[in-house]
């Protein structure tokens, strides 16, 4: 009873602080539109960057796989859940990333947690950027290794930590390639240099880079030309590839080691075959149709320009990716602004602590290849209108206006 009272109290506090989280049930999706409670909304908060989640060829690939294999995998990959399709997907991902091997996990979250915890442990140290994704943070904590964070992209602080870490049996640096809530890129060339200098291994989470960044969409590692320098590349099948699942790309030895040691790979049921077949088809389409990535980047540039023209303020570095954070600060204000946009048929979620640091609640706008210029204009117009009207408008004008 006492315990129940405590969680009720905590929920009340979350309400008061504007930190309460709610699920919105979608009734359907069509391109960049979603249907909620019978009404159509233009979505600006999805990670379906290339619009692949509803592609007819991908749906067909999943359906055919279900016909042949059924829906559930029935067991862990190491028991009876492994199929030729899982292995074909891994081979395709390795070819795409240009690594010796890859290993597919049921989600990106599990890939991160299970890989970090397998690679470092007691007697080791793991070092990460303060704005790394929660799944990296959780993997670092779970590993049992000493865990240090450095201020966002602060290479001096990272070097200081590495300099004092020579006594550890192993050193692992982990970083987002594209920071998921800020949209900026990690300074990978500098991190690689420090990793080399201090004999540390490097793991890059390219969840938001895969399919989006780099000439061929291989991610931030390709963008910087560091394919030979990064020991562990993680990616998801859930964002630009429009499906579900995560993967780790690297050497054969790394992948064999993870098969034997990664608990979130070993002790869970395999990804359904349909998800693997869908991911393979998504990869094929992505490579056959670079025009999707080109359309995405045209939209990124168009939105960035629109912010400038309208005198709206977004994080300066956000042009490095399709993620545009509008920092509001207070969680309640961010929620109120998100609600105002929602009333106008635009869906941009408010991102609040603990997803982002205290005092940096924000609207996280994402564009995809599916948006048209008219869609983007309607978002810009709504933001400008909000800036001009009412109490919420005042809050927005304070945060949005370029000085
Ligand atoms: N890493 C980053 C940077 C993310 O943004 C996400 C997204 O949720 C993940 C990992 C987890 O990936 P998934 O959604 O496939 O579990």
């Amino acid at each position: 009873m006492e315990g129940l009272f405590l969680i009720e109290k905590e929920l009340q506090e979350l309400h008061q602080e504007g930190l309460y989280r709610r699920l919105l049930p979608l009734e359907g999706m069509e391109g960049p539109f979603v249907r909620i409670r019978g009404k159509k909304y233009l979505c600006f908060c999805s990670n379906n960057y290339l619009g692949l989640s509803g592609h007819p060829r991908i749906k067909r690939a999943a359906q055919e796989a279900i016909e042949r294999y059924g829906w559930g995998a029935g067991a862990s990959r190491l028991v009876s859940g492994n199929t030729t399709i899982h292995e074909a997907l891994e081979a395709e991902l390795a070819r795409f990333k240009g690594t010796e091997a890859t290993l597919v996990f049921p989600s990106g979250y599990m890939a991160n947690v299970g890989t970090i915890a397998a690679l470092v442990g007691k007697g080791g140290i793991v070092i990460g950027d303060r704005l790394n994704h929660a799944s990296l943070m959780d993997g670092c904590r779970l590993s049992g290794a000493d865990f240090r964070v450095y201020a966002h992209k602060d290479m001096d602080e990272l070097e200081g930590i590495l300099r004092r870490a020579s006594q550890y049996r192993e050193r692992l640096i982990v970083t987002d390639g594209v920071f998921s809530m800020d949209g900026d890129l990690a300074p990978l060339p500098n991190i690689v240099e420090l990793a080399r200098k201090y004999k540390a291994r490097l793991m890059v989470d390219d969840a938001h880079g895969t399919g989006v960044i780099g000439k061929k969409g291989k991610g931030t590692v390709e963008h910087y030309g560091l394919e030979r320098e990064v020991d562990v590349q993680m990616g998801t099948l859930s964002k630009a590839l429009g499906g579900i699942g995560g993967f780790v790309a690297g050497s054969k030895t790394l992948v064999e080691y993870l098969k034997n040691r990664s608990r979130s790979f070993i002790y869970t049921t395999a990804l359904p075959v349909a998800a693997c077949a869908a991911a393979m088809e998504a990869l094929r389409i992505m490579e056959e149709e670079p025009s999707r990535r080109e359309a995405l980047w045209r939209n990124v540039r168009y939105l960035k320009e629109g912010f400038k023209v309208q005198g709206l303020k977004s994080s300066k570095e956000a042009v490095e990716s399709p993620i545009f954070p509008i920092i509001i600060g207070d969680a309640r204000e961010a929620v109120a602004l998100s609600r105002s946009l929602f009333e106008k048929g635009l869906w941009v979620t408010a991102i609040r602590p603990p997803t982002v640091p205290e005092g940096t609640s924000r609207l996280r706008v994402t564009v995809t290849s599916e948006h048209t210029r008219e869609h983007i204009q309607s978002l810009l117009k709504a933001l400008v209108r909000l800036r001009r009207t009412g109490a919420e408008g005042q809050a927005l004008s304070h945060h949005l206006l370029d000085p």
Side-chain angles (χ1 to χ4, degrees), residues 13-55:
E13 283 165 7
L14 289 177
H15 264 300
Q16 281 154 12
E17 291 158 14
L19 298 177
Y20 192 82
R21 293 173 189 236
R22 274 193 190 83
L23 291 169
L24 269 185
L26 307 193
E27 289 149 8
M29 302 178 212
E30 201 189 315
F33 290 96
V34 295
R35 188 166 284 281
I36 301 169
R37 294 185 204 109
K39 200 177 155 198
K40 212 167 154 189
Y41 293 87
L42 183 51
C43 178
F44 278 101
C45 51
S46 161
N47 301 317
N48 180 24
Y49 297 119
L50 300 177
L52 289 175
S53 74
H55 197 289

mmCIF file of all heavy atoms in Angstrom, residues 13-55:
data_model
loop_
_atom_site.group_PDB
_atom_site.id
_atom_site.type_symbol
_atom_site.label_atom_id
_atom_site.label_comp_id
_atom_site.label_asym_id
_atom_site.label_seq_id
_atom_site.Cartn_x
_atom_site.Cartn_y
_atom_site.Cartn_z
ATOM 1 N N GLU A 13 3.278 14.437 -9.071
ATOM 2 C CA GLU A 13 4.391 15.390 -9.242
ATOM 3 C C GLU A 13 4.752 15.549 -10.719
ATOM 4 O O GLU A 13 5.024 16.647 -11.188
ATOM 5 C CB GLU A 13 5.620 14.915 -8.455
ATOM 6 C CG GLU A 13 5.465 15.186 -6.970
ATOM 7 C CD GLU A 13 6.494 14.402 -6.141
ATOM 8 O OE1 GLU A 13 7.406 13.767 -6.721
ATOM 9 O OE2 GLU A 13 6.348 14.425 -4.915
ATOM 10 N N LEU A 14 4.725 14.420 -11.435
ATOM 11 C CA LEU A 14 5.038 14.494 -12.871
ATOM 12 C C LEU A 14 4.034 15.403 -13.574
ATOM 13 O O LEU A 14 4.399 16.213 -14.429
ATOM 14 C CB LEU A 14 5.019 13.097 -13.502
ATOM 15 C CG LEU A 14 6.166 12.158 -13.133
ATOM 16 C CD1 LEU A 14 5.976 10.789 -13.774
ATOM 17 C CD2 LEU A 14 7.512 12.729 -13.582
ATOM 18 N N HIS A 15 2.744 15.278 -13.185
ATOM 19 C CA HIS A 15 1.703 16.145 -13.745
ATOM 20 C C HIS A 15 2.050 17.605 -13.485
ATOM 21 O O HIS A 15 2.035 18.438 -14.392
ATOM 22 C CB HIS A 15 0.355 15.848 -13.067
ATOM 23 C CG HIS A 15 -0.482 14.893 -13.863
ATOM 24 N ND1 HIS A 15 -0.899 15.160 -15.136
ATOM 25 C CD2 HIS A 15 -0.988 13.680 -13.552
ATOM 26 C CE1 HIS A 15 -1.617 14.157 -15.578
ATOM 27 N NE2 HIS A 15 -1.695 13.232 -14.644
ATOM 28 N N GLN A 16 2.336 17.894 -12.188
ATOM 29 C CA GLN A 16 2.582 19.295 -11.793
ATOM 30 C C GLN A 16 3.782 19.901 -12.527
ATOM 31 O O GLN A 16 3.794 21.069 -12.858
ATOM 32 C CB GLN A 16 2.823 19.380 -10.281
ATOM 33 C CG GLN A 16 1.517 19.322 -9.492
ATOM 34 C CD GLN A 16 1.737 18.778 -8.083
ATOM 35 O OE1 GLN A 16 2.873 18.652 -7.626
ATOM 36 N NE2 GLN A 16 0.641 18.457 -7.399
ATOM 37 N N GLU A 17 4.778 19.067 -12.769
ATOM 38 C CA GLU A 17 6.005 19.594 -13.390
ATOM 39 C C GLU A 17 5.951 19.579 -14.923
ATOM 40 O O GLU A 17 6.924 19.929 -15.590
ATOM 41 C CB GLU A 17 7.204 18.777 -12.907
ATOM 42 C CG GLU A 17 7.519 19.010 -11.434
ATOM 43 C CD GLU A 17 8.323 17.856 -10.848
ATOM 44 O OE1 GLU A 17 8.851 17.034 -11.609
ATOM 45 O OE2 GLU A 17 8.396 17.785 -9.601
ATOM 46 N N GLY A 18 4.819 19.152 -15.464
ATOM 47 C CA GLY A 18 4.698 19.084 -16.933
ATOM 48 C C GLY A 18 5.496 17.933 -17.508
ATOM 49 O O GLY A 18 5.862 17.942 -18.688
ATOM 50 N N LEU A 19 5.772 16.920 -16.669
ATOM 51 C CA LEU A 19 6.622 15.810 -17.131
ATOM 52 C C LEU A 19 5.850 14.508 -17.346
ATOM 53 O O LEU A 19 6.435 13.471 -17.641
ATOM 54 C CB LEU A 19 7.761 15.561 -16.127
ATOM 55 C CG LEU A 19 8.731 16.730 -15.936
ATOM 56 C CD1 LEU A 19 9.763 16.408 -14.864
ATOM 57 C CD2 LEU A 19 9.444 17.061 -17.253
ATOM 58 N N TYR A 20 4.534 14.583 -17.178
ATOM 59 C CA TYR A 20 3.703 13.386 -17.332
ATOM 60 C C TYR A 20 3.695 12.985 -18.813
ATOM 61 O O TYR A 20 3.555 13.833 -19.692
ATOM 62 C CB TYR A 20 2.281 13.703 -16.868
ATOM 63 C CG TYR A 20 1.405 12.498 -16.703
ATOM 64 C CD1 TYR A 20 1.466 11.731 -15.540
ATOM 65 C CD2 TYR A 20 0.499 12.135 -17.697
ATOM 66 C CE1 TYR A 20 0.644 10.626 -15.377
ATOM 67 C CE2 TYR A 20 -0.314 11.032 -17.547
ATOM 68 C CZ TYR A 20 -0.239 10.282 -16.387
ATOM 69 O OH TYR A 20 -1.049 9.185 -16.227
ATOM 70 N N ARG A 21 3.830 11.685 -19.056
ATOM 71 C CA ARG A 21 3.873 11.222 -20.448
ATOM 72 C C ARG A 21 2.594 10.463 -20.784
ATOM 73 O O ARG A 21 2.103 9.697 -19.962
ATOM 74 C CB ARG A 21 5.079 10.309 -20.658
ATOM 75 C CG ARG A 21 6.380 11.065 -20.519
ATOM 76 C CD ARG A 21 7.558 10.119 -20.556
ATOM 77 N NE ARG A 21 8.790 10.820 -20.222
ATOM 78 C CZ ARG A 21 9.855 10.844 -21.025
ATOM 79 N NH1 ARG A 21 9.842 10.225 -22.170
ATOM 80 N NH2 ARG A 21 10.937 11.489 -20.655
ATOM 81 N N ARG A 22 2.107 10.689 -21.965
ATOM 82 C CA ARG A 22 0.854 10.076 -22.425
ATOM 83 C C ARG A 22 1.081 9.410 -23.764
ATOM 84 O O ARG A 22 1.871 9.884 -24.571
ATOM 85 C CB ARG A 22 -0.182 11.165 -22.701
ATOM 86 C CG ARG A 22 -0.954 11.567 -21.517
ATOM 87 C CD ARG A 22 -2.165 12.397 -21.919
ATOM 88 N NE ARG A 22 -2.742 12.952 -20.713
ATOM 89 C CZ ARG A 22 -2.303 14.050 -20.128
ATOM 90 N NH1 ARG A 22 -1.312 14.720 -20.669
ATOM 91 N NH2 ARG A 22 -2.839 14.465 -19.010
ATOM 92 N N LEU A 23 0.323 8.356 -23.991
ATOM 93 C CA LEU A 23 0.396 7.706 -25.298
ATOM 94 C C LEU A 23 -0.736 8.224 -26.177
ATOM 95 O O LEU A 23 -1.863 8.369 -25.709
ATOM 96 C CB LEU A 23 0.242 6.188 -25.133
ATOM 97 C CG LEU A 23 1.401 5.474 -24.448
ATOM 98 C CD1 LEU A 23 1.017 4.050 -24.093
ATOM 99 C CD2 LEU A 23 2.624 5.459 -25.345
ATOM 100 N N LEU A 24 -0.415 8.506 -27.417
ATOM 101 C CA LEU A 24 -1.456 8.916 -28.370
ATOM 102 C C LEU A 24 -1.689 7.757 -29.345
ATOM 103 O O LEU A 24 -0.773 7.381 -30.080
ATOM 104 C CB LEU A 24 -0.992 10.135 -29.168
ATOM 105 C CG LEU A 24 -1.337 11.520 -28.629
ATOM 106 C CD1 LEU A 24 -0.900 12.578 -29.616
ATOM 107 C CD2 LEU A 24 -2.818 11.657 -28.329
ATOM 108 N N PRO A 25 -2.884 7.181 -29.322
ATOM 109 C CA PRO A 25 -3.107 6.032 -30.224
ATOM 110 C C PRO A 25 -3.433 6.459 -31.666
ATOM 111 O O PRO A 25 -4.451 7.104 -31.905
ATOM 112 C CB PRO A 25 -4.306 5.317 -29.588
ATOM 113 C CG PRO A 25 -4.980 6.339 -28.735
ATOM 114 C CD PRO A 25 -4.049 7.483 -28.493
ATOM 115 N N LEU A 26 -2.555 6.106 -32.585
ATOM 116 C CA LEU A 26 -2.789 6.404 -34.005
ATOM 117 C C LEU A 26 -3.797 5.405 -34.570
ATOM 118 O O LEU A 26 -3.757 4.227 -34.236
ATOM 119 C CB LEU A 26 -1.497 6.292 -34.809
ATOM 120 C CG LEU A 26 -0.261 7.056 -34.356
ATOM 121 C CD1 LEU A 26 0.782 7.058 -35.454
ATOM 122 C CD2 LEU A 26 -0.601 8.467 -33.956
ATOM 123 N N GLU A 27 -4.650 5.906 -35.432
ATOM 124 C CA GLU A 27 -5.626 5.014 -36.075
ATOM 125 C C GLU A 27 -5.214 4.689 -37.501
ATOM 126 O O GLU A 27 -5.837 3.841 -38.143
ATOM 127 C CB GLU A 27 -7.006 5.702 -36.066
ATOM 128 C CG GLU A 27 -7.612 5.763 -34.674
ATOM 129 C CD GLU A 27 -8.492 6.984 -34.464
ATOM 130 O OE1 GLU A 27 -8.760 7.717 -35.426
ATOM 131 O OE2 GLU A 27 -8.896 7.208 -33.312
ATOM 132 N N GLY A 28 -4.216 5.346 -37.986
ATOM 133 C CA GLY A 28 -3.732 5.059 -39.333
ATOM 134 C C GLY A 28 -2.618 6.020 -39.698
ATOM 135 O O GLY A 28 -2.410 7.033 -39.027
ATOM 136 N N MET A 29 -1.874 5.656 -40.742
ATOM 137 C CA MET A 29 -0.787 6.525 -41.225
ATOM 138 C C MET A 29 -0.829 6.538 -42.735
ATOM 139 O O MET A 29 -1.118 5.506 -43.358
ATOM 140 C CB MET A 29 0.572 5.956 -40.823
ATOM 141 C CG MET A 29 0.752 5.775 -39.353
ATOM 142 S SD MET A 29 2.358 5.039 -39.073
ATOM 143 C CE MET A 29 2.015 4.090 -37.619
ATOM 144 N N GLU A 30 -0.508 7.692 -43.297
ATOM 145 C CA GLU A 30 -0.473 7.789 -44.754
ATOM 146 C C GLU A 30 0.528 8.874 -45.110
ATOM 147 O O GLU A 30 0.280 10.058 -44.853
ATOM 148 C CB GLU A 30 -1.867 8.155 -45.247
ATOM 149 C CG GLU A 30 -2.088 7.804 -46.699
ATOM 150 C CD GLU A 30 -3.398 8.395 -47.193
ATOM 151 O OE1 GLU A 30 -4.402 8.283 -46.465
ATOM 152 O OE2 GLU A 30 -3.378 8.995 -48.284
ATOM 153 N N GLY A 31 1.682 8.458 -45.644
ATOM 154 C CA GLY A 31 2.753 9.423 -45.913
ATOM 155 C C GLY A 31 3.099 10.140 -44.622
ATOM 156 O O GLY A 31 3.236 9.508 -43.563
ATOM 157 N N PRO A 32 3.191 11.466 -44.643
ATOM 158 C CA PRO A 32 3.557 12.184 -43.416
ATOM 159 C C PRO A 32 2.345 12.466 -42.522
ATOM 160 O O PRO A 32 2.472 13.180 -41.534
ATOM 161 C CB PRO A 32 4.146 13.484 -43.954
ATOM 162 C CG PRO A 32 3.467 13.700 -45.255
ATOM 163 C CD PRO A 32 3.106 12.354 -45.813
ATOM 164 N N PHE A 33 1.175 11.936 -42.899
ATOM 165 C CA PHE A 33 -0.037 12.178 -42.111
ATOM 166 C C PHE A 33 -0.343 11.004 -41.192
ATOM 167 O O PHE A 33 -0.057 9.856 -41.523
ATOM 168 C CB PHE A 33 -1.247 12.415 -43.030
ATOM 169 C CG PHE A 33 -1.174 13.730 -43.754
ATOM 170 C CD1 PHE A 33 -0.664 13.802 -45.041
ATOM 171 C CD2 PHE A 33 -1.601 14.899 -43.139
ATOM 172 C CE1 PHE A 33 -0.576 15.011 -45.707
ATOM 173 C CE2 PHE A 33 -1.519 16.118 -43.792
ATOM 174 C CZ PHE A 33 -0.997 16.176 -45.077
ATOM 175 N N VAL A 34 -0.934 11.332 -40.050
ATOM 176 C CA VAL A 34 -1.433 10.290 -39.145
ATOM 177 C C VAL A 34 -2.876 10.638 -38.814
ATOM 178 O O VAL A 34 -3.288 11.790 -38.939
ATOM 179 C CB VAL A 34 -0.608 10.208 -37.836
ATOM 180 C CG1 VAL A 34 0.812 9.777 -38.111
ATOM 181 C CG2 VAL A 34 -0.626 11.531 -37.080
ATOM 182 N N ARG A 35 -3.623 9.628 -38.388
ATOM 183 C CA ARG A 35 -5.011 9.862 -37.986
ATOM 184 C C ARG A 35 -5.108 9.563 -36.494
ATOM 185 O O ARG A 35 -4.670 8.521 -36.030
ATOM 186 C CB ARG A 35 -5.920 8.951 -38.799
ATOM 187 C CG ARG A 35 -7.400 9.219 -38.629
ATOM 188 C CD ARG A 35 -8.204 8.516 -39.703
ATOM 189 N NE ARG A 35 -8.110 9.194 -40.988
ATOM 190 C CZ ARG A 35 -8.797 10.289 -41.324
ATOM 191 N NH1 ARG A 35 -9.648 10.825 -40.473
ATOM 192 N NH2 ARG A 35 -8.656 10.837 -42.507
ATOM 193 N N ILE A 36 -5.631 10.530 -35.750
ATOM 194 C CA ILE A 36 -5.795 10.356 -34.303
ATOM 195 C C ILE A 36 -7.209 10.801 -33.942
ATOM 196 O O ILE A 36 -7.597 11.928 -34.283
ATOM 197 C CB ILE A 36 -4.755 11.187 -33.506
ATOM 198 C CG1 ILE A 36 -3.324 10.784 -33.890
ATOM 199 C CG2 ILE A 36 -4.966 11.016 -31.996
ATOM 200 C CD1 ILE A 36 -2.243 11.704 -33.373
ATOM 201 N N ARG A 37 -7.929 9.943 -33.271
ATOM 202 C CA ARG A 37 -9.332 10.212 -32.890
ATOM 203 C C ARG A 37 -10.123 10.789 -34.062
ATOM 204 O O ARG A 37 -10.796 11.815 -33.946
ATOM 205 C CB ARG A 37 -9.392 11.155 -31.682
ATOM 206 C CG ARG A 37 -8.820 10.511 -30.426
ATOM 207 C CD ARG A 37 -8.986 11.397 -29.214
ATOM 208 N NE ARG A 37 -7.995 11.057 -28.219
ATOM 209 C CZ ARG A 37 -6.943 11.808 -27.893
ATOM 210 N NH1 ARG A 37 -6.764 12.994 -28.466
ATOM 211 N NH2 ARG A 37 -6.099 11.413 -26.983
ATOM 212 N N GLY A 38 -9.977 10.175 -35.202
ATOM 213 C CA GLY A 38 -10.768 10.531 -36.383
ATOM 214 C C GLY A 38 -10.262 11.762 -37.127
ATOM 215 O O GLY A 38 -10.832 12.130 -38.153
ATOM 216 N N LYS A 39 -9.198 12.397 -36.630
ATOM 217 C CA LYS A 39 -8.730 13.621 -37.280
ATOM 218 C C LYS A 39 -7.328 13.412 -37.891
ATOM 219 O O LYS A 39 -6.522 12.650 -37.350
ATOM 220 C CB LYS A 39 -8.709 14.742 -36.230
ATOM 221 C CG LYS A 39 -8.707 16.120 -36.839
ATOM 222 C CD LYS A 39 -8.769 17.218 -35.803
ATOM 223 C CE LYS A 39 -8.137 18.453 -36.431
ATOM 224 N NZ LYS A 39 -7.745 19.448 -35.507
ATOM 225 N N LYS A 40 -7.098 14.099 -38.991
ATOM 226 C CA LYS A 40 -5.810 13.955 -39.688
ATOM 227 C C LYS A 40 -4.801 14.995 -39.176
ATOM 228 O O LYS A 40 -5.165 16.169 -39.029
ATOM 229 C CB LYS A 40 -6.069 14.200 -41.180
ATOM 230 C CG LYS A 40 -5.207 13.429 -42.102
ATOM 231 C CD LYS A 40 -5.783 13.519 -43.499
ATOM 232 C CE LYS A 40 -4.684 13.322 -44.510
ATOM 233 N NZ LYS A 40 -5.109 13.604 -45.858
ATOM 234 N N TYR A 41 -3.602 14.561 -38.902
ATOM 235 C CA TYR A 41 -2.543 15.475 -38.445
ATOM 236 C C TYR A 41 -1.318 15.311 -39.334
ATOM 237 O O TYR A 41 -0.998 14.197 -39.760
ATOM 238 C CB TYR A 41 -2.138 15.161 -36.994
ATOM 239 C CG TYR A 41 -3.235 15.443 -36.004
ATOM 240 C CD1 TYR A 41 -4.191 14.469 -35.725
ATOM 241 C CD2 TYR A 41 -3.345 16.679 -35.375
ATOM 242 C CE1 TYR A 41 -5.226 14.724 -34.833
ATOM 243 C CE2 TYR A 41 -4.369 16.938 -34.484
ATOM 244 C CZ TYR A 41 -5.314 15.955 -34.218
ATOM 245 O OH TYR A 41 -6.334 16.214 -33.339
ATOM 246 N N LEU A 42 -0.634 16.421 -39.560
ATOM 247 C CA LEU A 42 0.620 16.381 -40.301
ATOM 248 C C LEU A 42 1.740 16.164 -39.277
ATOM 249 O O LEU A 42 1.910 16.970 -38.360
ATOM 250 C CB LEU A 42 0.794 17.710 -41.055
ATOM 251 C CG LEU A 42 2.008 17.864 -41.955
ATOM 252 C CD1 LEU A 42 2.157 16.702 -42.935
ATOM 253 C CD2 LEU A 42 1.910 19.180 -42.735
ATOM 254 N N CYS A 43 2.446 15.062 -39.445
ATOM 255 C CA CYS A 43 3.408 14.649 -38.415
ATOM 256 C C CYS A 43 4.810 15.216 -38.692
ATOM 257 O O CYS A 43 5.363 15.016 -39.771
ATOM 258 C CB CYS A 43 3.451 13.123 -38.384
ATOM 259 S SG CYS A 43 4.620 12.476 -37.209
ATOM 260 N N PHE A 44 5.332 15.910 -37.706
ATOM 261 C CA PHE A 44 6.702 16.419 -37.781
ATOM 262 C C PHE A 44 7.541 15.879 -36.628
ATOM 263 O O PHE A 44 8.360 16.601 -36.065
ATOM 264 C CB PHE A 44 6.710 17.960 -37.776
ATOM 265 C CG PHE A 44 6.454 18.568 -39.121
ATOM 266 C CD1 PHE A 44 5.208 19.065 -39.442
ATOM 267 C CD2 PHE A 44 7.457 18.623 -40.076
ATOM 268 C CE1 PHE A 44 4.963 19.628 -40.690
ATOM 269 C CE2 PHE A 44 7.226 19.190 -41.327
ATOM 270 C CZ PHE A 44 5.978 19.686 -41.634
ATOM 271 N N CYS A 45 7.255 14.635 -36.236
ATOM 272 C CA CYS A 45 8.070 14.083 -35.135
ATOM 273 C C CYS A 45 8.402 12.607 -35.343
ATOM 274 O O CYS A 45 8.734 11.917 -34.384
ATOM 275 C CB CYS A 45 7.394 14.325 -33.791
ATOM 276 S SG CYS A 45 5.684 13.799 -33.713
ATOM 277 N N SER A 46 8.362 12.163 -36.593
ATOM 278 C CA SER A 46 8.667 10.754 -36.836
ATOM 279 C C SER A 46 10.125 10.614 -37.291
ATOM 280 O O SER A 46 10.697 11.533 -37.876
ATOM 281 C CB SER A 46 7.727 10.248 -37.924
ATOM 282 O OG SER A 46 8.242 9.076 -38.488
ATOM 283 N N ASN A 47 10.692 9.435 -37.036
ATOM 284 C CA ASN A 47 12.051 9.147 -37.522
ATOM 285 C C ASN A 47 12.025 8.329 -38.813
ATOM 286 O O ASN A 47 13.037 7.783 -39.225
ATOM 287 C CB ASN A 47 12.839 8.379 -36.463
ATOM 288 C CG ASN A 47 12.949 9.143 -35.171
ATOM 289 O OD1 ASN A 47 13.208 10.351 -35.173
ATOM 290 N ND2 ASN A 47 12.735 8.467 -34.053
ATOM 291 N N ASN A 48 10.863 8.261 -39.422
ATOM 292 C CA ASN A 48 10.693 7.522 -40.674
ATOM 293 C C ASN A 48 11.212 8.415 -41.812
ATOM 294 O O ASN A 48 10.489 8.809 -42.715
ATOM 295 C CB ASN A 48 9.185 7.214 -40.808
ATOM 296 C CG ASN A 48 8.839 6.438 -42.060
ATOM 297 O OD1 ASN A 48 9.670 5.741 -42.628
ATOM 298 N ND2 ASN A 48 7.598 6.584 -42.496
ATOM 299 N N TYR A 49 12.531 8.708 -41.738
ATOM 300 C CA TYR A 49 13.131 9.780 -42.543
ATOM 301 C C TYR A 49 12.950 9.629 -44.053
ATOM 302 O O TYR A 49 12.888 10.622 -44.765
ATOM 303 C CB TYR A 49 14.635 9.887 -42.245
ATOM 304 C CG TYR A 49 14.948 10.258 -40.826
ATOM 305 C CD1 TYR A 49 15.678 9.411 -40.000
ATOM 306 C CD2 TYR A 49 14.505 11.468 -40.291
ATOM 307 C CE1 TYR A 49 15.965 9.750 -38.689
ATOM 308 C CE2 TYR A 49 14.788 11.812 -38.981
ATOM 309 C CZ TYR A 49 15.520 10.945 -38.191
ATOM 310 O OH TYR A 49 15.789 11.278 -36.892
ATOM 311 N N LEU A 50 12.917 8.370 -44.524
ATOM 312 C CA LEU A 50 12.825 8.169 -45.974
ATOM 313 C C LEU A 50 11.433 7.707 -46.388
ATOM 314 O O LEU A 50 11.226 7.269 -47.530
ATOM 315 C CB LEU A 50 13.889 7.158 -46.436
ATOM 316 C CG LEU A 50 15.346 7.558 -46.144
ATOM 317 C CD1 LEU A 50 16.299 6.448 -46.568
ATOM 318 C CD2 LEU A 50 15.716 8.877 -46.838
ATOM 319 N N GLY A 51 10.502 7.761 -45.455
ATOM 320 C CA GLY A 51 9.116 7.389 -45.768
ATOM 321 C C GLY A 51 8.943 5.924 -46.134
ATOM 322 O O GLY A 51 8.028 5.571 -46.876
ATOM 323 N N LEU A 52 9.829 5.072 -45.624
ATOM 324 C CA LEU A 52 9.782 3.677 -46.069
ATOM 325 C C LEU A 52 8.789 2.803 -45.298
ATOM 326 O O LEU A 52 8.436 1.717 -45.762
ATOM 327 C CB LEU A 52 11.191 3.057 -45.991
ATOM 328 C CG LEU A 52 12.188 3.579 -47.028
ATOM 329 C CD1 LEU A 52 13.575 2.994 -46.794
ATOM 330 C CD2 LEU A 52 11.709 3.253 -48.441
ATOM 331 N N SER A 53 8.326 3.270 -44.146
ATOM 332 C CA SER A 53 7.543 2.350 -43.293
ATOM 333 C C SER A 53 6.260 1.862 -43.978
ATOM 334 O O SER A 53 5.797 0.771 -43.688
ATOM 335 C CB SER A 53 7.224 3.007 -41.951
ATOM 336 O OG SER A 53 6.219 3.967 -42.127
ATOM 337 N N GLY A 54 5.717 2.669 -44.905
ATOM 338 C CA GLY A 54 4.475 2.228 -45.549
ATOM 339 C C GLY A 54 4.668 1.821 -47.002
ATOM 340 O O GLY A 54 3.703 1.712 -47.754
ATOM 341 N N HIS A 55 5.909 1.584 -47.422
ATOM 342 C CA HIS A 55 6.180 1.301 -48.840
ATOM 343 C C HIS A 55 5.542 -0.039 -49.264
ATOM 344 O O HIS A 55 5.726 -1.048 -48.585
ATOM 345 C CB HIS A 55 7.693 1.260 -49.061
ATOM 346 C CG HIS A 55 8.079 1.373 -50.499
ATOM 347 N ND1 HIS A 55 7.856 0.355 -51.407
ATOM 348 C CD2 HIS A 55 8.644 2.384 -51.197
ATOM 349 C CE1 HIS A 55 8.299 0.741 -52.590
ATOM 350 N NE2 HIS A 55 8.769 1.976 -52.491
#
